[in-house]
Amino acid sequence: MTAFILRRLMALPLVLLALSLAIVGLMQTLSPAERAAAFVTNENQLRNLEAIIREKGLDQPFHVQYWNWLREVLQGNLGFSKASNKPVIDTIIERFPATVELTLFSLLPILGFGIWLGTRAGLNKDRFIDQFTRVFTVVTNNIPTFVLGIILLVIFYGLLGVAPGPGQLSPENQVNLIINPVPRVTGMLSIDALLAGNWPVFWDVLHHMFLPVITLSTVITAGMIKVMRSSLIEVLSQDYVRTARAKGLPERTVNLKHARRNALIPVATIGGFVVLGLLSGALFTETIFAWPGIGSWGAETATRFDVPGLLGFALLSGILTVLANLAVDIIYALIDPRVRFD
Amino acid sequence: MSAVPATQSAARRDTFWNSRVMRRFRRNRLAVFGFFLVCMFLLVALFAPLLAPPPPVGNNCLRDVGATTTAEALTPTHSGFWRLMFAAPASCYQIARINFTQVPSPPLKPIATEAGEVRPVFGTSNGYDVWYGIIWGTRTALKLAITVVFFQLLIGITLGAISGYFGGWVDNVIQRLIDVIFAFPSLILVIVITSLLGKSLNFIILAFVLVGWAGYARIVRGEVLKTRSLEFVDGARALGASDWRIIFRHVIPNSLTAITVIAVLDLGAIPLSAAALSFLGIGLPTGYTDWGQLISFARAWIQGTAENRLEYWYVAFYPALTIILFGLGWNLLGDALRDALDPRER
């Protein structure tokens, strides 16, 4: 097991190396002046593009430029992000917890509602609840995240006025936060406010998180429901389930203890898909709802030609994807004794 | 080869329409609905110049097809008509900008322009004609989807077949490359590539192709590994067929079923991803006929006014509906194809 994990982790630097080569390679299609524009943060620098080109060695051959970049990165310097006006590393440390926060809260509907409705539909195949679920998943699966976010805002913020607009806090609680600062423990504002006992801020953040969480989780929940349903239907047709019924176990025990436990195994395999979905979804959700996480920052680095920021964001998402897939494989082996590492 | 005498009833049974796959497909009402939606979008794209004629003001489409009035451009005897239908100049893919008023104007409300009064069917947002954007955006979407899927299939099938058929170091190199592509959320890779290259439809196509061929290559490789060891391949080789002939005549055709479904789903998914990109402001230039941009205009108007909270409903409604129906159509079609082609369900 340890050997397997180490082998997989060893692939990580290679993957990141390939990505960085590709990005620095793509940069070569631009002229040195265009590349220098990525480092421009004020007007004075714009007049002095030549100096930037010389200083950063942007007119050097590809391998020299790549080596310069790699040397900086290995020293922990990922560069300066124009989009956040901070070094890339600091930006990630500052903004990543907010994305984790949104993601964690999104797991509640994905796991809770997804598994619950998938189970109900699977147990009642072709009855009303199953038909309803089918229509529900077809509809929710097909609304792109960015469209859903706008629709939810139009309905719940614009029309009904029950949900707050974009942002993490309403104005009065922004003032509240300045008067009673919440110490940064986890970096997730809701948790930190809870730890500090600042109830108004805590409730306000939860209130503001409602629409983004629905936006982020809907598509993934639909996938979860579909996998849960089909997996449960497959398990229910197996011999051991019939045996359990034949020996007189109550229906509830058969369904929930015998069948659902095994039906959950394939669900674990879509864990990687869930993480990928959350990561790409965060780009749009955070942009629409002005959530201060890495998603909205990533989108901004892309629109503002903030190359160091974009690289940092891409490297981070690569690391997260590789780790998520590794975690899925480990979990899979832990819950399914038939799987063995070779 | 068809020496077997075919009776009339057998001949009728063997048509494509009556095949087992098609019978199962037709029974599925959702699938038929999806097919209807897809056909509708194809027709809209084909007849875009008739549905949303190039306006006298707003873009340079009329000038570029050599017509002076909209009516002239829509006359089949005028050469501009055929250019509009089959080779529309780039300026026709600029959303007609009626004026420069930021505030949206409701559907069918008359707007005075220098070329007379116009009534935009779906209203305007940022001065752009929403109807024009949606109709010509359908062309953008399908053009993008078909081009991207074509090149993805070309590269994916070729490299997948090479990888699976020859094995060895070639296989190893191609598979490691695919591993790297799979190690990132594809949308994020596309964003990185397009934002570095710049705003243009061609760069978006390039980005999607670079990222998307890997999935096809994996599937084709797996199928080739399965097919390669079958007896008819040995037979072909014994008859003296070359490697390439075996790959293209025997191995690839046997793998096509597996990738058809994914290709159909991709045809629906790629325009939505592209719309998502231009919603963020990456990819397509401002004013390009594209659905994502129309949604991003709507962001400023979600709240309505104090008197009427739904004042600007149309700004978000029509583009969102279009995007949802497009995704729904292709997805229903793809899912139904998957069910119909799935041999386990026979």
Side-chain angles (χ1 to χ4, degrees), chain A residues 102-129:
Chain A
L102 207 55
T103 309
L104 286 180
F105 279 94
S106 297
L107 284 177
L108 292 176
I110 293 172
L111 294 178
F113 185 68
I115 290 179
W116 175 79
L117 193 59
T119 309
R120 293 251 58 84
L123 290 179
N124 301 291
K125 187 168 181 264
D126 292 333
R127 296 219 204 106
F128 173 75
I129 180 89

Side-chain angles (χ1 to χ4, degrees), chain A residues 71-339:
Chain A
R71 208 177 40 201
E72 291 288 311
V73 170
L74 290 178
Q75 289 166 4
N77 179 12
L78 277 169
F80 188 85
S81 166
K82 273 194 295 186
S84 61
N85 214 5
K86 280 200 182 87
V88 171
I89 283 284
D90 295 355
T91 314
I92 291 176
I93 293 171
E94 183 189 295
R95 302 184 76 124
F96 191 52
T99 302
V100 174
E101 182 182 31
L102 207 55
T103 309
L104 286 180
F105 279 94
S106 297
L107 284 177
L108 292 176
I110 293 172
L111 294 178
F113 185 68
I115 290 179
W116 175 79
L117 193 59
T119 309
R120 293 251 58 84
L123 290 179
N124 301 291
K125 187 168 181 264
D126 292 333
R127 296 219 204 106
F128 173 75
I129 180 89
D130 188 30
Q131 303 288 0
F132 168 80
T133 307
R134 192 171 301 157
V135 174
F136 178 79
T137 50
V138 162
V139 172
T140 51
N141 199 21
N142 281 301
I143 305 182
T145 307
F146 71 104
V147 177
L148 181 66
I150 296 287
I151 293 176
L152 289 177
L153 270 178
V154 168
I155 297 176
F156 292 99
Y157 169 59
L159 176 63
L160 302 175
V162 288
Q168 206 181 17
L169 279 176
S170 37
E172 65 267 24
N173 275 309
Q174 284 171 12
V175 177
N176 179 339
L177 203 60
I178 295 169
I179 302 168
N180 312 305
V182 167
R184 186 184 160 100
V185 184
T186 58
M188 305 178 219
L189 190 54
S190 58
I191 311 276
D192 285 349
L194 190 65
L195 290 177
N198 193 335
W199 293 100
V201 168
F202 174 69
W203 286 118
D204 201 35
V205 177
L206 282 195
H207 195 197
H208 277 79
M209 221 180 326
F210 197 68
L211 290 186
V213 162
I214 294 179
T215 307
L216 185 56
S217 59
T218 297
V219 178
I220 305 166
T221 308
M224 183 59 102
I225 293 171
K226 281 202 267 187
V227 172
M228 186 66 213
R229 174 185 172 274
S230 56
S231 159
L232 188 62
I233 288 174
E234 205 174 314
V235 169
L236 280 173
S237 69
Q238 284 180 9
D239 288 343
Y240 81 91
V241 174
R242 193 179 49 193
T243 310
R245 285 221 178 88
K247 68 183 185 188
L249 284 181
E251 193 61 23
R252 206 185 145 71
T253 318
V254 176
N255 288 341
L256 299 185
K257 283 254 167 73
H258 289 67
R260 184 158 76 176
R261 286 246 175 124
N262 269 334
L264 279 171
I265 294 175
V267 171
T269 54
I270 68 163
F273 155 81
V274 170
V275 173
L276 284 191
L278 287 170
L279 205 55
S280 344
L283 272 170
F284 302 100
T285 310
E286 290 182 4
T287 303
I288 294 171
F289 292 97
W291 196 260
I294 51 160
S296 50
W297 171 66
E300 220 186 313
T301 61
T303 47
R304 293 186 49 186
F305 197 60
D306 171 8
V307 178
L310 192 62
L311 251 168
F313 177 69
L315 291 178
L316 178 67
S317 47
I319 294 173
L320 290 174
T321 313
V322 171
L323 290 182
N325 285 330
L326 178 64
V328 166
D329 286 349
I330 294 173
I331 291 172
Y332 199 48
L334 289 180
I335 59 176
D336 189 348
R338 289 168 298 184
V339 175

Side-chain angles (χ1 to χ4, degrees), chain A residues 142 157-159 303 310 318 321, chain B residues 183-184 195 280 299 303 309 331:
Chain A
N142 281 301
Y157 169 59
L159 176 63
T303 47
L310 192 62
T321 313
Chain B
F184 296 92
S195 62
L280 291 180
R299 276 175 72 186
Q303 225 188 342
R309 286 167 171 274
N331 247 306

